[in-house]
Amino acid sequence: MPVPWFLLSLALGRSPMVLSLERLVGPQDTARCSPGLSCHLWDGDVLCLPGSIVSAPGPVLVPTRLQTELVLRCYQETDCDLCVRVAIHLAVHGHWEEPKGEEKFGRAADPELEESRNAFLQAQVVLSFQAYPTARCVLLEVQVPAALVQPGQSVGSVVFDCFEAALGAEVRIWSYTQPRYQKELNLTQHLPDCKGLEVQDSIQSCWALPWLNVSADGDDVHLVLDVSEDQRFGLSLYWNQVQGPTKPWWHRNLTGPQTITLNHTDLFPCLCIQVWPLEPDSVRTSICPFREDPRAHRNLWRAARLQLLPPRGWRLDAPCSLPAEATLCWQAPGGGPCQSLVPPLPPANVTVNKALELPLLNVHPNLCVQVSSWEKLQLQECLWVDSLGPLKDDMLLVETRDPHNNRSLCALEPSGCTPLLSRASTRAARLGEQLLQDLQSGQCLQLWDDDLRALWACPMDKYVHQRWALVWLACLLFVAVLFLLFLFRKDQVKGWLRLLKEDIRAGPATRGRAALLLYSAEDSGFERLVSALASALCQLPLRVAVDLWSRRELSAQGPLAWFHAQRRQTLQEGGVVVLLFSPGAVVLCREWLQDGASTPAPQGPHDAFAASLSCVLPDFLQGRAPGRYVGAYFDGLLHSDAVPALFRSVPVFSLPSQLPGFLGTLQEPGDPRPGLLRERARLVSQALQPALDQLLKAPGDPGDPEDGTRDGT
């Protein structure tokens, strides 16, 4: 069952929110005045001819305010019509003027006329009423004793009963005097329909009105009309736009109970529902149930489109009116927020579906229009990107003038508006004098101007070129330093260049084999030795992976997960896993073999060797290691007999003494030539030997002559 979300009854029942109306008996129009006034209603309607405004000959009565009230005009107990009661508030306008002579008006003054003027102020007040398809004008004569009033003073009100109107109609009321001494008063009012009035027993057109329930079921909205099976009625969905006429969206003539389903994406705040019985002169009742629905407001902003129209126009298209404000802003290249500018666009609500003009002298690609609602940015569009091109690296200058024509200039930057001649450490402050000269020499484009402020866009291209000149100078210095290093170490550089030349001749098939180095992290000296080996191997056609270069991934994934991922990738690409044996690594292997399948505890947070034993040793035990693994140890750190017999099923090399064989095993089959292999081994040995010597000569090294345990014997 749908969950009730918003229940509206368009059939009439008692509710604390409906209005109970006063009843007037009989069809006659009447007028009554507040105490102190006398009034008379002319019989029949008059022509609605306001005429032109004329000067008042002295104090006159004029209408100052209109007030309405709904009543019922009843012909029988259950036969009533909705009627609009109008109250006109009056005040004295103008002053007494004494004539300068009898000849002023071309005739002698009339003492009786002067006496009547001093006795009463009199006015003829016209009341005009329009409600499609009805239009009426009535005339009321009002007078007040002149001795009781003062100019500008309110004298009371006149109440007219009443103008008949249809339920739900829009009525317009005007009031003015004859002759007309000021602009007419006007009032527009949308009358309620049956659902908002306690008239179910009085207005017959409300008796047959259908019941309408609006409910939500997940993403769908249901309009449920509960009527009898043979009752015919009309149902219309439309967009009620404040700015412009309503736009019909969906209309059907239906019979009997109906359920209409709307998707939540169809909801808008201005989506209204109108329902009426298909009978002559039936009442149409409208409701707009989605005005406060958050989904409707989200859909409205998704449907809104901001367009910029050359040369200086903009337009916001949306199904409904938007409670939004538009502003101009400056968008600097390279990202960052768009900075608001003066002049702000009119702060009133944005007029949708209408082309508006931007208050600019010239256009610029960095100028943008923002549309915000409740201080939240909703839409932004930069000016005519297709015609003006991309954003420019121009500096926007804001000029401010005081009433004495003294002016100050600042440059708009992400940190704010920086005065040009300041000591701030910004680009605008450093180039302040140059920008001021550019402005005075006419190199800047004026975007906007008024009496107190102006906006200028100054090109920065020439200053950017100067900056690039400094960059090129730095590059030349760097190249010179590299050239000097080449002179000092030309032999080693020539060797690497020769290898590179051979690699190019050999083609892409010989380069790029993957190699994963595994070792036990015993101390910093041994890690430096492994790092030197890995760096030297990277200079060959090898892609080397080692945990020293992947500490962040190790910390995030853990040693075991990292090793499994690297091993799988290396073997899938036809690579090889290199086991670097050290005394600590040998101890870990023996413990693992002695304890069976139990995994030894890792020696450190980044020790991939200890974590990998549970995966490496089964490959050796099951005979899957040949062709996929290679062993190695370093001269002076371990004896060949110390390597466990299980690992001798694959080639094991001593480094750097057996480097040619080691490198030959790492290369793809068929490469390289023996001469090139010896050259590579020589270069790797040169890179490896200093780190090995430093480790062997370290104080307290177990490999010193005083202690012969380093080699494992």
Side-chain angles (χ1 to χ4, degrees), residues 139 219 238 254 273 400 443 463 494 501 509 596 610:
L139 180 65
D219 288 339
Y238 63 95
L254 305 170
I273 308 165
T400 305
Q443 299 182 40
Y463 305 114
K494 286 181 179 179
K501 182 179 179 181

mmCIF file with all atom_site columns, all heavy atoms in Angstrom, residues 139 219 238 254 273 400 443 463 494 501 509 596 610:
data_model
loop_
_atom_site.group_PDB
_atom_site.id
_atom_site.type_symbol
_atom_site.label_atom_id
_atom_site.label_alt_id
_atom_site.label_comp_id
_atom_site.label_asym_id
_atom_site.label_entity_id
_atom_site.label_seq_id
_atom_site.pdbx_PDB_ins_code
_atom_site.Cartn_x
_atom_site.Cartn_y
_atom_site.Cartn_z
_atom_site.occupancy
_atom_site.B_iso_or_equiv
_atom_site.pdbx_formal_charge
_atom_site.auth_seq_id
_atom_site.auth_comp_id
_atom_site.auth_asym_id
_atom_site.auth_atom_id
_atom_site.pdbx_PDB_model_num
ATOM 1   N N   . LEU A 1 139 ? -20.017 53.765  -9.163  1.00 0.00 ? 139 LEU A N   1
ATOM 2   C CA  . LEU A 1 139 ? -19.655 55.116  -8.752  1.00 0.00 ? 139 LEU A CA  1
ATOM 3   C C   . LEU A 1 139 ? -20.230 55.402  -7.378  1.00 0.00 ? 139 LEU A C   1
ATOM 4   O O   . LEU A 1 139 ? -21.438 55.210  -7.140  1.00 0.00 ? 139 LEU A O   1
ATOM 5   C CB  . LEU A 1 139 ? -20.171 56.139  -9.769  1.00 0.00 ? 139 LEU A CB  1
ATOM 6   C CG  . LEU A 1 139 ? -19.869 57.596  -9.475  1.00 0.00 ? 139 LEU A CG  1
ATOM 7   C CD1 . LEU A 1 139 ? -18.368 57.852  -9.522  1.00 0.00 ? 139 LEU A CD1 1
ATOM 8   C CD2 . LEU A 1 139 ? -20.591 58.515  -10.472 1.00 0.00 ? 139 LEU A CD2 1
ATOM 9   N N   . ASP A 1 219 ? 9.900   5.784   -5.517  1.00 0.00 ? 219 ASP A N   1
ATOM 10  C CA  . ASP A 1 219 ? 10.218  6.878   -6.427  1.00 0.00 ? 219 ASP A CA  1
ATOM 11  C C   . ASP A 1 219 ? 9.014   7.373   -7.194  1.00 0.00 ? 219 ASP A C   1
ATOM 12  O O   . ASP A 1 219 ? 9.128   8.315   -7.985  1.00 0.00 ? 219 ASP A O   1
ATOM 13  C CB  . ASP A 1 219 ? 11.294  6.439   -7.423  1.00 0.00 ? 219 ASP A CB  1
ATOM 14  C CG  . ASP A 1 219 ? 12.657  6.299   -6.764  1.00 0.00 ? 219 ASP A CG  1
ATOM 15  O OD1 . ASP A 1 219 ? 12.854  6.898   -5.696  1.00 0.00 ? 219 ASP A OD1 1
ATOM 16  O OD2 . ASP A 1 219 ? 13.503  5.582   -7.323  1.00 0.00 ? 219 ASP A OD2 1
ATOM 17  N N   . TYR A 1 238 ? -0.208  21.075  -15.043 1.00 0.00 ? 238 TYR A N   1
ATOM 18  C CA  . TYR A 1 238 ? 0.382   22.224  -15.725 1.00 0.00 ? 238 TYR A CA  1
ATOM 19  C C   . TYR A 1 238 ? 1.451   22.837  -14.834 1.00 0.00 ? 238 TYR A C   1
ATOM 20  O O   . TYR A 1 238 ? 1.492   22.610  -13.625 1.00 0.00 ? 238 TYR A O   1
ATOM 21  C CB  . TYR A 1 238 ? -0.689  23.266  -16.076 1.00 0.00 ? 238 TYR A CB  1
ATOM 22  C CG  . TYR A 1 238 ? -1.378  23.879  -14.878 1.00 0.00 ? 238 TYR A CG  1
ATOM 23  C CD1 . TYR A 1 238 ? -0.936  25.085  -14.334 1.00 0.00 ? 238 TYR A CD1 1
ATOM 24  C CD2 . TYR A 1 238 ? -2.479  23.260  -14.272 1.00 0.00 ? 238 TYR A CD2 1
ATOM 25  C CE1 . TYR A 1 238 ? -1.560  25.650  -13.237 1.00 0.00 ? 238 TYR A CE1 1
ATOM 26  C CE2 . TYR A 1 238 ? -3.099  23.819  -13.181 1.00 0.00 ? 238 TYR A CE2 1
ATOM 27  C CZ  . TYR A 1 238 ? -2.646  25.014  -12.665 1.00 0.00 ? 238 TYR A CZ  1
ATOM 28  O OH  . TYR A 1 238 ? -3.251  25.564  -11.567 1.00 0.00 ? 238 TYR A OH  1
ATOM 29  N N   . LEU A 1 254 ? -11.633 11.931  -17.893 1.00 0.00 ? 254 LEU A N   1
ATOM 30  C CA  . LEU A 1 254 ? -11.655 10.598  -17.306 1.00 0.00 ? 254 LEU A CA  1
ATOM 31  C C   . LEU A 1 254 ? -13.035 10.298  -16.737 1.00 0.00 ? 254 LEU A C   1
ATOM 32  O O   . LEU A 1 254 ? -13.862 11.202  -16.528 1.00 0.00 ? 254 LEU A O   1
ATOM 33  C CB  . LEU A 1 254 ? -10.597 10.486  -16.210 1.00 0.00 ? 254 LEU A CB  1
ATOM 34  C CG  . LEU A 1 254 ? -9.157  10.833  -16.630 1.00 0.00 ? 254 LEU A CG  1
ATOM 35  C CD1 . LEU A 1 254 ? -8.261  10.921  -15.415 1.00 0.00 ? 254 LEU A CD1 1
ATOM 36  C CD2 . LEU A 1 254 ? -8.627  9.811   -17.620 1.00 0.00 ? 254 LEU A CD2 1
ATOM 37  N N   . ILE A 1 273 ? -2.061  20.704  -10.129 1.00 0.00 ? 273 ILE A N   1
ATOM 38  C CA  . ILE A 1 273 ? -3.093  19.763  -10.558 1.00 0.00 ? 273 ILE A CA  1
ATOM 39  C C   . ILE A 1 273 ? -4.422  20.509  -10.549 1.00 0.00 ? 273 ILE A C   1
ATOM 40  O O   . ILE A 1 273 ? -4.773  21.152  -9.551  1.00 0.00 ? 273 ILE A O   1
ATOM 41  C CB  . ILE A 1 273 ? -3.161  18.544  -9.629  1.00 0.00 ? 273 ILE A CB  1
ATOM 42  C CG1 . ILE A 1 273 ? -1.764  17.923  -9.471  1.00 0.00 ? 273 ILE A CG1 1
ATOM 43  C CG2 . ILE A 1 273 ? -4.170  17.529  -10.130 1.00 0.00 ? 273 ILE A CG2 1
ATOM 44  C CD1 . ILE A 1 273 ? -1.663  16.963  -8.313  1.00 0.00 ? 273 ILE A CD1 1
ATOM 45  N N   . THR A 1 400 ? 38.884  52.211  -8.023  1.00 0.00 ? 400 THR A N   1
ATOM 46  C CA  . THR A 1 400 ? 37.899  52.820  -7.127  1.00 0.00 ? 400 THR A CA  1
ATOM 47  C C   . THR A 1 400 ? 38.155  54.320  -7.076  1.00 0.00 ? 400 THR A C   1
ATOM 48  O O   . THR A 1 400 ? 39.298  54.757  -6.914  1.00 0.00 ? 400 THR A O   1
ATOM 49  C CB  . THR A 1 400 ? 38.001  52.224  -5.710  1.00 0.00 ? 400 THR A CB  1
ATOM 50  O OG1 . THR A 1 400 ? 37.862  50.795  -5.804  1.00 0.00 ? 400 THR A OG1 1
ATOM 51  C CG2 . THR A 1 400 ? 36.908  52.763  -4.817  1.00 0.00 ? 400 THR A CG2 1
ATOM 52  N N   . GLN A 1 443 ? 47.044  49.877  -22.786 1.00 0.00 ? 443 GLN A N   1
ATOM 53  C CA  . GLN A 1 443 ? 47.183  48.470  -23.162 1.00 0.00 ? 443 GLN A CA  1
ATOM 54  C C   . GLN A 1 443 ? 46.155  47.572  -22.477 1.00 0.00 ? 443 GLN A C   1
ATOM 55  O O   . GLN A 1 443 ? 46.087  46.384  -22.775 1.00 0.00 ? 443 GLN A O   1
ATOM 56  C CB  . GLN A 1 443 ? 48.592  47.982  -22.823 1.00 0.00 ? 443 GLN A CB  1
ATOM 57  C CG  . GLN A 1 443 ? 49.697  48.725  -23.543 1.00 0.00 ? 443 GLN A CG  1
ATOM 58  C CD  . GLN A 1 443 ? 51.075  48.160  -23.208 1.00 0.00 ? 443 GLN A CD  1
ATOM 59  O OE1 . GLN A 1 443 ? 51.251  46.954  -23.099 1.00 0.00 ? 443 GLN A OE1 1
ATOM 60  N NE2 . GLN A 1 443 ? 52.051  49.050  -23.057 1.00 0.00 ? 443 GLN A NE2 1
ATOM 61  N N   . TYR A 1 463 ? 54.980  39.297  -19.674 1.00 0.00 ? 463 TYR A N   1
ATOM 62  C CA  . TYR A 1 463 ? 55.639  38.949  -18.414 1.00 0.00 ? 463 TYR A CA  1
ATOM 63  C C   . TYR A 1 463 ? 55.808  37.437  -18.293 1.00 0.00 ? 463 TYR A C   1
ATOM 64  O O   . TYR A 1 463 ? 56.775  36.958  -17.706 1.00 0.00 ? 463 TYR A O   1
ATOM 65  C CB  . TYR A 1 463 ? 54.839  39.498  -17.238 1.00 0.00 ? 463 TYR A CB  1
ATOM 66  C CG  . TYR A 1 463 ? 54.605  40.985  -17.346 1.00 0.00 ? 463 TYR A CG  1
ATOM 67  C CD1 . TYR A 1 463 ? 53.323  41.492  -17.515 1.00 0.00 ? 463 TYR A CD1 1
ATOM 68  C CD2 . TYR A 1 463 ? 55.664  41.887  -17.304 1.00 0.00 ? 463 TYR A CD2 1
ATOM 69  C CE1 . TYR A 1 463 ? 53.100  42.859  -17.632 1.00 0.00 ? 463 TYR A CE1 1
ATOM 70  C CE2 . TYR A 1 463 ? 55.452  43.249  -17.422 1.00 0.00 ? 463 TYR A CE2 1
ATOM 71  C CZ  . TYR A 1 463 ? 54.170  43.731  -17.587 1.00 0.00 ? 463 TYR A CZ  1
ATOM 72  O OH  . TYR A 1 463 ? 53.961  45.068  -17.707 1.00 0.00 ? 463 TYR A OH  1
ATOM 73  N N   . LYS A 1 494 ? 80.457  6.271   -21.446 1.00 0.00 ? 494 LYS A N   1
ATOM 74  C CA  . LYS A 1 494 ? 80.608  5.595   -22.731 1.00 0.00 ? 494 LYS A CA  1
ATOM 75  C C   . LYS A 1 494 ? 80.154  4.143   -22.657 1.00 0.00 ? 494 LYS A C   1
ATOM 76  O O   . LYS A 1 494 ? 79.572  3.607   -23.599 1.00 0.00 ? 494 LYS A O   1
ATOM 77  C CB  . LYS A 1 494 ? 82.065  5.651   -23.187 1.00 0.00 ? 494 LYS A CB  1
ATOM 78  C CG  . LYS A 1 494 ? 82.506  7.032   -23.683 1.00 0.00 ? 494 LYS A CG  1
ATOM 79  C CD  . LYS A 1 494 ? 83.959  7.005   -24.136 1.00 0.00 ? 494 LYS A CD  1
ATOM 80  C CE  . LYS A 1 494 ? 84.400  8.365   -24.665 1.00 0.00 ? 494 LYS A CE  1
ATOM 81  N NZ  . LYS A 1 494 ? 85.819  8.356   -25.091 1.00 0.00 ? 494 LYS A NZ  1
ATOM 82  N N   . LYS A 1 501 ? 73.308  1.388   -27.231 1.00 0.00 ? 501 LYS A N   1
ATOM 83  C CA  . LYS A 1 501 ? 73.393  1.197   -28.670 1.00 0.00 ? 501 LYS A CA  1
ATOM 84  C C   . LYS A 1 501 ? 73.154  -0.259  -29.044 1.00 0.00 ? 501 LYS A C   1
ATOM 85  O O   . LYS A 1 501 ? 72.446  -0.577  -30.008 1.00 0.00 ? 501 LYS A O   1
ATOM 86  C CB  . LYS A 1 501 ? 74.764  1.667   -29.145 1.00 0.00 ? 501 LYS A CB  1
ATOM 87  C CG  . LYS A 1 501 ? 74.968  1.557   -30.653 1.00 0.00 ? 501 LYS A CG  1
ATOM 88  C CD  . LYS A 1 501 ? 76.344  2.075   -31.040 1.00 0.00 ? 501 LYS A CD  1
ATOM 89  C CE  . LYS A 1 501 ? 76.580  1.953   -32.545 1.00 0.00 ? 501 LYS A CE  1
ATOM 90  N NZ  . LYS A 1 501 ? 77.922  2.445   -32.915 1.00 0.00 ? 501 LYS A NZ  1
ATOM 91  N N   . ALA A 1 509 ? 62.741  -7.226  -28.559 1.00 0.00 ? 509 ALA A N   1
ATOM 92  C CA  . ALA A 1 509 ? 62.516  -8.554  -27.981 1.00 0.00 ? 509 ALA A CA  1
ATOM 93  C C   . ALA A 1 509 ? 63.449  -8.843  -26.837 1.00 0.00 ? 509 ALA A C   1
ATOM 94  O O   . ALA A 1 509 ? 63.190  -9.722  -26.021 1.00 0.00 ? 509 ALA A O   1
ATOM 95  C CB  . ALA A 1 509 ? 62.679  -9.617  -29.065 1.00 0.00 ? 509 ALA A CB  1
ATOM 96  N N   . GLY A 1 596 ? 58.189  -27.627 9.439   1.00 0.00 ? 596 GLY A N   1
ATOM 97  C CA  . GLY A 1 596 ? 57.139  -28.071 8.537   1.00 0.00 ? 596 GLY A CA  1
ATOM 98  C C   . GLY A 1 596 ? 56.557  -26.902 7.769   1.00 0.00 ? 596 GLY A C   1
ATOM 99  O O   . GLY A 1 596 ? 57.259  -26.060 7.240   1.00 0.00 ? 596 GLY A O   1
ATOM 100 N N   . ALA A 1 610 ? 60.488  -13.017 4.479   1.00 0.00 ? 610 ALA A N   1
ATOM 101 C CA  . ALA A 1 610 ? 59.893  -13.905 5.484   1.00 0.00 ? 610 ALA A CA  1
ATOM 102 C C   . ALA A 1 610 ? 58.449  -14.221 5.141   1.00 0.00 ? 610 ALA A C   1
ATOM 103 O O   . ALA A 1 610 ? 57.979  -15.348 5.329   1.00 0.00 ? 610 ALA A O   1
ATOM 104 C CB  . ALA A 1 610 ? 59.989  -13.250 6.874   1.00 0.00 ? 610 ALA A CB  1
#
